[in-house]
Amino acid sequence: MHHVIIGNSAAGIGAAEAIRQIDKEAPLTIISDESESAYSRALISYELAGWIGKGNLDLRPREFYQEKNIAAHLGKRAIKIDAGKKQVHLNDGSRVDYDRLLIATGGSPQQMGVPGEDKKGIFGFRNYRDLLNIYDAIITAEHGVVLGGGCIGLQAASGLHHHGVKTSIAIASAHLLSQVADAECGDIYQRLFESNGIAIKTSMKPVEFRGVGQVGSIGFDDGSEMPAQIVISGKGVKPNTELAEGTKIKVDRGIIVDDRMCTAEPDVFAAGDVAVTQDCVTCESTVNAVWPCAYEQGRTAGFNMAGRDRVYDGSMRMNAAEFFRVPLISIGVVKPQGDGYEVHSYLDKSRMVYWKMVFKGKLLVGAVLVGRVERAGVLANLMRKHIDVSSIKGELLAGRYNYALIKPLAEGAE
Amino acid sequence: MTSQPRKIFAISELCTACRSCEIACAVAHSRSASLIGAILEVPLPRYRIEVQAGSTLNLPLNCRHCDEPECLFACKAGAVSKDEATGQVRVDLEKCVGCWMCVMICPYGAVIPDALIGKAAKCDLCENRAEGPACVTSCLTGALFYGTEEEFEEYRNTRPLLKQLKAHR
Ligand SMILES: Cc1cc2nc3c(=O)[nH]c(=O)nc-3n(C[C@H](O)[C@H](O)[C@H](O)COP(=O)(O)OP(=O)(O)OC[C@H]3O[C@@H](n4cnc5c(N)ncnc54)[C@H](O)[C@@H]3O)c2cc1C
């Protein structure tokens, strides 16, 4: 049984580790178009911001492939899947046979669709290459603009600022972190960033990148212009689904999989930022492009590939970060739309403490925690397991939640 | 993995929430390894066991060293590993970047965001302490136990106090 995994990141490594947990012998191949040994792309922002200390970006020790008996084809791109012949075609002309295949190709930054976006000095922020290119550009850049106010955008801005670039963040929405949290939370971080010397402009969209060859400034839809020799786009990612072409694999935004992470093509699985899964809180089909989901989906796929039946219990929208020493965790539905939601929140602006909980009927469906994030996982567990919280709502709202509180309920739900 | 890893177990009925374990844990994770020394340290050492009070029970809780460690799955820094021989789940503090993914995912709330050092703090089973886990040796009522699950069952079944307590209720 030859297992082949396309992708050498969270989902791919999750699958490889699951396969090896069950089967130490079966041939296992990992293919990746990046030439680095498995590293964490989610740390390139930490590296840029100087937050990495003595560690490094390695996700696993370099000996990982050897120790786990994995053949790694790094720096090679898969260009086609021939599901009939059970073969993957690589860009160097070679072909790899598989019995079970996992597509864990992740996503790529979305184009902004703004004239001039191919000028020098404009970067996506997705992989190690981008990081190295940004390092090069920082040396000569005086002004930098980050387009996007999500977690990655804020980290990128911290990074430019750290390197002495005069940094601004420009966003289309009315407040920071609009995908992750609400205006109250966004405002806390806006004040933090501004007081640390990073300018923030809201409700404006870029219409043109100006400059000859190299970007020099950005024109916005309100007629304003901002100088920028370096621009980082924090726009979202789109799933890398190209390999599905010419196969029976269904694609709707991402690759459609069943609850065992199997695609419509037998023996071909998909996991991670490329896959559409069911959100276990909202029950909607979506791409939850976050690290823990990618790893667990990969792990689920890996078990099923190796012959151990394992059902994926669904993905969850979640994010954790910290800026200027103020931590943030956001889980589930945090900006409820429609009826039937009950929202409670608490804000202490001076201490930069904010929390919000969203309930639907007897269930907790969302939480934002700013400043104090202890035991957030207990809340995530309540959401994931659909535990009836009516008897403990008072404690939840008082911040007195811990495992002892939910243990009787959690055990009842199992 | 050995079939029976050694872990720290708690008998919540015997826990009086005196919090001796929390103090002993903090001292065990201080540089001075003494109570007075620990209190004077900057940053203050963080305890990794917490006596949690629920509505019906006291529960001294620390890392469960799970068979399916979600903190490991969620760790985007590759800082968490599971020792295949002992079952222990470890955090490599050199690699931890304090992103709090583990805090967000641990269903027990047993990974503590140590704000003073900006890194995740959790139970390391006092692996470098000759006497074994400090929380266990400090517990005044025998509510904490370190051993295999089988050993714990036997320990639990031979607690005379537990029978009395049950009869009392
Ligand atoms: C700067 C940054 C910060 C982030 N911070 C967080 C965070 O704090 N928390 C969080 O949960 N998530 C975070 N994320 C998101 C997280 O990194 C992703 O969810 C995760 O990496 C997804 O893993 P994946 O394995 O599905 O895909 P990816 O990590 O995108 O990996 C895809 C792999 O497939 C390979 N590949 C793609 N196409 C091909 C092909 N045709 N042939 C061969 N190989 C191919 C790539 O080389 C790569 O190895 C962050 C991301 C970035 C960029």
Side-chain angles (χ1 to χ4, degrees):
Chain A
M1 180 69 69
H2 186 191
H3 299 288
V4 175
I5 297 171
I6 308 173
N8 187 29
S9 184
I13 296 296
E17 289 182 338
I19 291 170
R20 276 295 174 252
Q21 190 173 320
I22 298 176
D23 187 341
K24 303 253 185 297
E25 304 298 330
L28 174 52
T29 301
I30 293 183
I31 300 166
S32 169
D33 61 356
E34 291 178 283
S35 49
E36 293 81 13
S37 161
Y39 72 96
S40 175
R41 73 187 64 261
L43 289 194
I44 58 173
S45 46
Y46 281 66
E47 166 69 23
L48 186 67
W51 295 335
I52 296 266
K54 277 196 216 136
N56 53 40
L57 303 191
D58 287 351
L59 181 59
R60 293 293 180 265
R62 305 265 164 110
E63 310 79 54
F64 175 78
Y65 305 95
Q66 209 190 339
E67 272 171 12
K68 298 267 175 190
N69 188 18
I70 296 169
H73 294 298
L74 305 183
K76 291 182 190 171
R77 189 169 177 75
I79 49 174
K80 180 182 153 73
I81 294 170
D82 184 337
K85 291 204 183 117
K86 291 195 146 185
Q87 272 184 341
V88 181
H89 297 206
L90 305 187
N91 63 344
D92 64 356
S94 63
R95 292 170 186 199
V96 179
D97 295 311
Y98 68 83
D99 294 303
R100 301 267 155 82
L101 176 69
L102 174 65
I103 305 174
T105 48
S108 301
Q110 252 162 21
Q111 295 289 95
M112 290 179 278
V114 175
E117 72 178 290
D118 51 355
K119 286 194 192 337
K120 269 184 71 182
I122 303 174
F123 304 99
F125 200 34
R126 182 70 188 171
N127 57 40
Y128 194 61
R129 275 280 115 217
D130 295 331
L131 177 68
L132 296 183
N133 292 336
I134 289 169
Y135 272 138
D136 282 344
I138 272 178
I139 302 171
T140 50
E142 186 189 353
H143 295 276
V145 173
V146 173
L147 297 169
C151 285
I152 297 176
L154 295 188
Q155 289 171 353
S158 308
L160 294 182
H161 179 72
H162 173 73
H163 288 277
V165 178
K166 288 187 189 123
T167 306
S168 309
I169 299 172
I171 56 177
S173 34
H175 63 85
L176 291 180
L177 297 164
S178 64
Q179 305 281 316
V180 186
D182 52 15
E184 284 77 5
C185 172
D187 287 346
I188 291 180
Y189 287 101
Q190 173 154 358
R191 282 187 296 126
L192 255 180
F193 272 74
E194 285 171 344
S195 63
N196 279 280
I198 296 173
I200 290 168
K201 307 266 187 233
T202 57
S203 311
M204 56 199 275
K205 284 190 185 140
V207 289
E208 190 187 6
F209 294 103
R210 296 176 188 144
V212 188
Q214 154 76 40
V215 68
S217 68
I218 311 175
F220 287 92
D221 58 354
D222 61 356
S224 66
E225 184 173 46
M226 287 167 85
Q229 294 78 41
I230 184 167
V231 176
I232 298 182
S233 159
K235 225 168 176 271
V237 290
K238 62 169 193 334
N240 293 327
T241 58
E242 300 81 359
L243 289 171
E245 275 162 37
T247 71
K248 289 198 215 96
I249 298 169
K250 290 201 184 69
V251 175
D252 181 7
R253 227 163 83 71
I255 292 178
I256 307 294
V257 291
D258 63 17
D259 58 4
R260 287 166 174 80
M261 308 311 297
C262 195
T263 68
E265 194 71 76
D267 299 325
V268 181
F269 297 74
D273 284 10
V274 75
V276 172
T277 56
Q278 201 181 47
D279 185 299
C280 64
V281 177
T282 64
C283 298
E284 283 161 12
S285 290
T286 183
V287 178
N288 269 321
V290 290
W291 189 277
C293 296
Y295 187 99
E296 290 230 27
Q297 289 166 24
R299 185 170 177 80
T300 306
F303 280 135
N304 286 305
M305 289 164 76
R308 182 178 294 177
D309 189 46
R310 171 80 74 117
V311 170
Y312 183 56
D313 60 8
S315 56
M316 225 161 138
R317 208 203 55 77
M318 54 173 124
N319 228 312
E322 178 169 312
F323 306 102
F324 299 108
R325 311 209 68 178
V326 180
L328 161 69
I329 285 181
S330 161
I331 313 168
V333 182
V334 295
K335 282 180 94 173
Q337 318 251 305
D339 301 333
Y341 294 98
E342 184 188 327
V343 179
H344 296 263
S345 64
Y346 168 86
L347 175 64
D348 181 341
K349 271 193 185 175
S350 62
R351 289 216 203 116
M352 285 186 281
V353 170
Y354 174 66
W355 62 254
K356 170 173 176 171
M357 288 189 201
V358 182
F359 298 88
K360 190 166 194 183
K362 294 172 174 167
L363 305 178
L364 177 71
V365 295
V368 181
L369 307 172
V370 176
R372 273 194 224 126
V373 297
E374 280 86 352
R375 294 182 286 275
V378 169
L379 301 179
N381 198 27
L382 289 171
M383 293 182 221
R384 187 198 325 259
K385 296 228 172 90
H386 300 265
I387 292 171
D388 179 346
V389 297
S390 24
S391 66
I392 56 166
K393 211 166 179 178
E395 271 95 345
L396 291 181
L397 294 176
R400 284 197 302 266
Y401 47 85
N402 56 34
Y403 184 68
L405 176 72
I406 75 156
K407 188 169 183 265
L409 307 172
E411 281 166 359
E414 257 156 26
Chain B
M1 195 193 299
T2 52
S3 50
Q4 287 270 323
R6 301 182 79 197
K7 294 184 181 184
I8 294 168
F9 296 92
I11 303 176
S12 61
E13 295 92 327
L14 293 181
C15 175
T16 61
C18 72
R19 301 185 187 271
S20 302
C21 54
E22 293 181 357
I23 294 172
C25 179
V27 172
H29 292 94
S30 67
R31 273 168 286 132
S32 58
S34 78
L35 180 55
I36 294 296
I39 288 170
L40 298 174
E41 275 174 29
V42 180
L44 268 178
R46 189 68 171 86
Y47 52 81
R48 297 107 196 271
I49 185 165
E50 253 184 353
V51 179
Q52 301 189 347
S55 41
T56 54
L57 76 171
N58 295 326
L59 188 66
L61 191 88
N62 53 11
C63 170
R64 309 317 302 142
H65 300 276
C66 300
D67 292 337
E68 291 276 302
E70 292 197 43
C71 55
L72 189 163
F73 306 158
C75 182
K76 64 176 194 179
V80 184
S81 60
K82 185 163 175 80
D83 189 317
E84 286 186 23
T86 64
Q88 183 177 345
V89 176
R90 287 196 184 87
V91 180
D92 178 348
L93 288 185
E94 300 244 299
K95 291 210 69 158
C96 174
V97 298
C99 71
W100 314 134
M101 300 298 286
C102 52
V103 174
M104 176 172 73
I105 209 90
C106 173
Y108 301 102
V111 188
I112 294 157
D114 187 342
L116 298 178
I117 58 164
K119 292 184 192 264
K122 70 165 207 63
C123 167
D124 54 7
L125 297 173
C126 287
E127 55 180 326
N128 297 318
R129 191 172 179 270
E131 307 90 311
C135 54
V136 176
T137 53
S138 74
C139 181
L140 300 169
T141 61
L144 289 166
F145 179 81
Y146 178 58
T148 66
E149 202 167 333
E150 227 164 68
E151 288 165 347
F152 173 62
E153 279 312 310
E154 197 187 316
Y155 173 81
R156 195 191 160 90
N157 292 336
T158 53
R159 290 299 90 195
L161 265 177
L162 208 53
K163 287 204 190 92
Q164 280 181 33
L165 271 174
K166 279 195 183 127
H168 184 71
R169 273 184 197 161

